[in-house]
Amino acid sequence: MDVVIRRALPSDAPALTRVAHAAKRHWKYPDGWIRLWRDALTVTPDFVARHPVWCAIRGASVLGFYALSGEGPVRELEHLWVAPTHIGRGVGARLLAHAVAVLRADGVRVLRIASDPHAVGFYLAMGARRVGEVASTPRGRTLPLLVIEVIREVGVSDLRH
């Protein structure tokens, strides 16, 4: 059975939360840190109803998902999680490519990503570039800040032959 990417439903929230928690635990973070991130990793039905959230499914199983936020030409990748048994199998790449296509269709120019340090290599391989860092939890921890140019602004020099 093939993987299908579809818009998430509010009723998917518990499954999305399970994927996010399992994916974060996959990187062997201390339990105390996982507890600090509990709210950030929990996807509520209300969140799904208010944000563009898409999930990769096979049959009735959620393999991964992503969520976007923001308005205008720059958007944020709020979540991109893949169930640990499917990490490295192309699910994340399909989800990110789908997110970029959705944003491109909406005229978005840039996708900003505050990446887990373990995922930086994935995002760089998918065409992101590192532009800085942002504060995180616990205090003193930072996350790499990456961007993907969804639609590149064309300059005059690009129009010359």
Side-chain angles (χ1 to χ4, degrees):
M1 198 176 303
D2 286 333
V3 174
V4 174
I5 297 177
R6 67 158 170 83
R7 189 75 185 248
L9 304 170
S11 60
D12 292 320
L16 304 179
T17 296
R18 282 191 296 276
V19 168
H21 281 264
K24 198 66 161 180
R25 286 187 179 283
H26 173 78
W27 300 113
K28 309 290 186 218
Y29 283 111
D31 286 339
W33 288 19
I34 297 292
R35 282 191 297 277
L36 285 174
W37 299 329
R38 182 180 355 214
D39 289 345
L41 295 171
T42 298
V43 180
T44 65
D46 184 57
F47 180 89
V48 175
R50 291 183 298 108
H51 292 85
V53 181
W54 295 80
C55 56
I57 60 167
R58 179 180 292 138
S61 298
V62 174
L63 309 181
F65 74 98
Y66 73 86
L68 303 167
S69 68
E71 294 180 5
V74 178
R75 305 288 170 87
E76 305 284 335
L77 184 66
E78 288 291 323
H79 293 281
L80 194 158
W81 301 105
V82 175
T85 55
H86 295 282
I87 291 174
R89 296 181 180 204
V91 174
R94 286 193 54 197
L95 285 167
L96 187 59
H98 187 274
V100 168
V102 165
L103 293 170
R104 186 174 291 128
D106 199 24
V108 173
R109 294 196 179 282
V110 175
L111 176 62
R112 290 172 35 107
I113 306 161
S115 175
D116 183 284
H118 294 287
V120 170
F122 163 76
Y123 290 117
L124 293 175
M126 293 294 294
R129 65 184 167 81
R130 190 173 180 153
V131 295
E133 59 185 33
V134 294
S136 183
T137 303
R139 187 181 171 118
R141 181 175 187 258
T142 60
L143 299 177
L145 179 62
L146 309 168
V147 296
I148 293 177
E149 291 186 34
V150 176
I151 297 177
R152 193 170 71 81
E153 201 165 331
V154 177
V156 173
S157 63
D158 295 322
L159 300 176
R160 294 184 190 148
H161 294 288

